[in-house]
């Protein structure tokens, strides 16, 4: 019973991660299009492309664990008055993703899956750094 409960918690967190990845993928696409400079659009593009990769990596882990391929519907993306507010919420979102993904990593048993989470976590830390850089360009 414990195993079943642990596994269902892990699967819940994987679905949550896939939803967050879809959200960020779309949010960053909108931020690329609304970027006040080419330099900023290029910084956001790195994160946008990684989120697409992360979605597929979480989808693969879910499939390995359950035998099922799932898709998460594209969520709504909130609107921002100012570009800098979108950048600030992105910094916080990236740091929260790191917390969630550390929890997911601790629940995974195989080295392959833990290595995948390590790659995703370091990407999110890089995104946070890029958004801090973008924030400094806007000041
Ligand atoms: Fe991501
Ligand atoms: Fe990210």
């Amino acid at each position: 019973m414990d195993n079943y409960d642990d596994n269902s918690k892990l699967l819940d967190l994987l679905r949550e991660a896939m939803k967050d990845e879809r959200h960020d993928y779309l949010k960053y696409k909108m931020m690329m299009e609304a970027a006040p400079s080419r330099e900023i659009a290029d910084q956001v593009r790195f994160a946008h492309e990684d989120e697409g990769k992360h979605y597929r990596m979480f989808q693969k882990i879910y499939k390995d664990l359950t035998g099922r391929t799932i898709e998460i519907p594209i969520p709504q993306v909130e609107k921002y008055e100012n570009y800098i507010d979108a950048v600030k919420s992105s910094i916080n979102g990236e740091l929260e993703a790191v917390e969630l993904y550390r929890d997911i990593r601790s629940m995974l048993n195989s080295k392959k899956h833990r290595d995948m989470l390590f790659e995703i976590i370091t990407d999110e830390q890089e995104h946070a750094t890029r958004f801090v850089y973008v924030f400094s360009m806007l000041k």
Side-chain angles (χ1 to χ4, degrees), residues 43-129:
Q43 290 297 325
V44 178
R45 180 174 297 108
F46 279 105
H48 166 72
E49 287 172 358
D50 280 349
E51 311 312 10
K53 176 187 79 173
H54 296 163
Y55 178 81
R56 291 187 297 277
M57 289 170 81
F58 281 119
Q59 188 181 48
K60 170 85 169 76
I61 294 170
Y62 195 95
K63 169 121 196 262
D64 287 348
L65 296 175
T66 65
R68 284 180 288 131
T69 301
I70 58 162
E71 296 283 356
I72 301 292
I74 298 171
Q76 279 283 112
V77 174
E78 61 288 356
K79 296 268 182 286
Y80 293 95
E81 283 283 304
N82 304 301
Y83 200 81
I84 199 159
D85 293 333
V87 173
K88 277 193 215 169
S89 75
S90 300
I91 296 168
N92 286 319
E94 293 292 345
L95 296 176
E96 282 165 18
V98 168
E99 299 282 319
L100 172 64
Y101 297 168
R102 264 203 303 242
D103 286 347
I104 292 176
R105 187 171 186 273
S106 73
M107 299 172 84
L108 291 167
N109 295 316
S110 80
K111 181 177 188 301
K112 183 181 86 173
H113 291 157
R114 292 170 66 85
D115 286 350
M116 286 165 79
L117 263 289
F118 183 80
E119 177 182 337
I120 296 171
I121 290 166
T122 51
D123 283 344
E124 308 302 13
Q125 286 169 333
E126 185 204 283
H127 301 165
T129 306

